[in-house]
Amino acid sequence: MNERAHPGELGAFLKARRMAISPAEAGLPDTGRRKVKGLRREEVALLASISTEYYTRLEQGRRQASQPVLDGLSRVLRLGEDERKYLFELAGKDSPRPRRQAVRKVHPQLRRLLDDLATVPAVVLGRRMDVLAWNPMAAALITDFARIPDKQRNYVRLVFTDPAVRALYPDWESVAHTCVAQLRMEAARDPADPRLTALVGELSVRDDDFRGWWGAHHVALRGMGTKTMRHPVAGDLTLDWDALTCAANPDQQLITWTAEPGSASHDGLRILASWATTHVTPESDTTR
């Protein structure tokens, strides 16, 4: 047993903070049928990517917590820096320095290439499949990315939580399963990434399919493929997608959707390009 740890006080602190966080603050749907104030133990455990039994033992003072678990609980319970330091002290751990977040800004050369693709839908994906930038054609094809808060602008999140994006794919289950497998591959690079942990926790709570597929540990690389879409303006589309990795910043990929020249899908993209000129703002990177 760690002589510096105070398990009883740690458990009491965790419980107090859990009771002070509303479901909405944790990104959970509020069903209105809650017998307890704040979050349930199982909800905290799921959001922190640990078992309910593990978390229960922590609250009961019968289990020590590792640094990754403390990091996850700090995020889920929305602890400030002082509270986070206090949590680590109660657990008998040295509080690590705050992680520096990577700059979420598209590489300039990808930005120029993106702007030059007038008739090809394209986005730039970063770490965790975050949507860093897009062109008007991508906004017309997928969704109006500008309406989505920056921290929620994630392709996997949209596939699982946005009804319009979900309806875009007739074979949604296959598309969504592939997204989870690609995100799993991303997770291997930095399993302790707090933003990735938060995304996985949120989607695991909100969607049974995501939770099951994530637990299956299937992986896939982003390379190329074909997607079928049912677009409200352009109609049924069969598009080839490609992922081009930026040599200067391998964390960023340009994703494009194209169609065979002369095909009905190619004609559909031309219709979409005409529609986009009057229905989509040309400003494609809200950070510029």
Side-chain angles (χ1 to χ4, degrees), residues 219-270:
V219 295
L221 289 169
R222 286 199 305 273
M224 62 177 61
T226 301
K227 279 190 172 66
T228 301
M229 299 181 177
R230 184 160 296 153
H231 196 275
V233 174
D236 290 345
L237 301 170
T238 299
L239 303 177
D240 297 320
W241 64 271
D242 291 272
L244 310 176
T245 301
C246 178
N249 187 346
D251 284 343
Q252 298 186 10
Q253 286 187 312
L254 178 73
I255 312 297
T256 62
W257 290 266
T258 59
E260 183 72 25
S263 66
S265 295
H266 190 260
D267 292 339
L269 286 181
R270 289 183 175 274

Side-chain angles (χ1 to χ4, degrees), residues 57-78:
R57 287 176 176 269
L58 285 177
E59 272 203 8
Q60 294 173 343
R62 297 190 295 125
R63 180 70 185 263
Q64 293 193 61
S66 64
Q67 180 178 317
V69 168
L70 294 172
D71 281 330
L73 292 173
S74 296
R75 171 185 52 77
V76 172
L77 299 176
R78 304 172 67 87

Side-chain angles (χ1 to χ4, degrees), residues 2 50 85 100 102 118 142 178 183 193 196-197 217 222 225 252 274:
N2 188 335
I50 58 178
K85 184 176 180 180
R100 294 184 62 185
I142 307 296
T178 298
L183 191 65
D193 181 352
L196 175 64
T197 304
H217 287 261
R222 286 199 305 273
Q252 298 186 10
S274 177

Side-chain angles (χ1 to χ4, degrees), residues 67 71 74 81 84-85 88 93-101 192 194:
Q67 180 178 317
D71 281 330
S74 296
E81 194 57 38
R84 183 173 181 271
K85 184 176 180 180
F88 273 78
K93 306 285 186 182
D94 293 325
S95 179
R97 294 180 180 178
R99 294 169 57 103
R100 294 184 62 185
Q101 294 293 328

Side-chain angles (χ1 to χ4, degrees), residues 31-288:
T31 61
R33 301 176 180 176
R34 308 181 71 85
K35 295 182 179 179
V36 298
K37 181 182 178 182
L39 298 178
R40 303 183 181 98
R41 284 175 173 172
E42 57 267 28
E43 291 171 333
V44 174
L46 188 56
L47 289 170
S49 300
I50 58 178
S51 70
T52 301
E53 180 184 5
Y54 187 118
Y55 179 75
T56 299
R57 287 176 176 269
L58 285 177
E59 272 203 8
Q60 294 173 343
R62 297 190 295 125
R63 180 70 185 263
Q64 293 193 61
S66 64
Q67 180 178 317
V69 168
L70 294 172
D71 281 330
L73 292 173
S74 296
R75 171 185 52 77
V76 172
L77 299 176
R78 304 172 67 87
L79 302 185
E81 194 57 38
D82 290 344
E83 293 172 318
R84 183 173 181 271
K85 184 176 180 180
Y86 179 64
L87 176 71
F88 273 78
E89 287 181 350
L90 291 179
K93 306 285 186 182
D94 293 325
S95 179
R97 294 180 180 178
R99 294 169 57 103
R100 294 184 62 185
Q101 294 293 328
V103 177
R104 290 163 48 87
K105 189 172 184 179
V106 66
H107 191 276
Q109 288 178 250
L110 284 185
R111 174 77 267 168
R112 291 196 297 270
L113 180 58
L114 192 66
D115 289 340
D116 285 342
L117 296 175
T119 60
V120 175
V123 301
V124 175
L125 296 185
R127 298 281 303 279
R128 305 166 295 267
M129 299 175 72
D130 291 331
V131 180
L132 302 183
W134 59 95
N135 64 5
M137 278 292 287
L141 178 66
I142 307 296
T143 189
D144 181 7
F145 295 106
R147 69 177 173 79
I148 303 168
D150 177 65
K151 292 184 178 180
Q152 298 178 15
R153 203 178 289 145
N154 177 277
Y155 190 75
V156 183
R157 191 179 189 279
L158 290 171
V159 167
F160 277 91
T161 66
D162 190 310
V165 174
R166 190 172 184 133
L168 188 63
Y169 298 107
D171 56 342
W172 177 87
E173 185 171 321
S174 174
V175 171
H177 188 274
T178 298
C179 281
V180 175
Q182 291 172 346
L183 191 65
R184 257 293 177 193
M185 182 65 75
E186 291 270 356
R189 301 169 59 190
D190 188 4
D193 181 352
R195 292 186 66 129
L196 175 64
T197 304
L199 176 65
V200 171
E202 176 195 357
L203 295 180
S204 294
V205 171
R206 297 180 64 165
D207 194 281
D208 291 340
D209 286 326
F210 181 92
R211 183 166 61 252
W213 294 334
W214 184 260
H217 287 261
H218 295 150
V219 295
L221 289 169
R222 286 199 305 273
M224 62 177 61
T226 301
K227 279 190 172 66
T228 301
M229 299 181 177
R230 184 160 296 153
H231 196 275
V233 174
D236 290 345
L237 301 170
T238 299
L239 303 177
D240 297 320
W241 64 271
D242 291 272
L244 310 176
T245 301
C246 178
N249 187 346
D251 284 343
Q252 298 186 10
Q253 286 187 312
L254 178 73
I255 312 297
T256 62
W257 290 266
T258 59
E260 183 72 25
S263 66
S265 295
H266 190 260
D267 292 339
L269 286 181
R270 289 183 175 274
I271 293 172
L272 194 62
S274 177
W275 181 86
T277 59
T278 56
H279 291 79
V280 177
T281 173
E283 180 60 49
S284 56
D285 183 358
T286 58
T287 65
R288 288 193 296 174

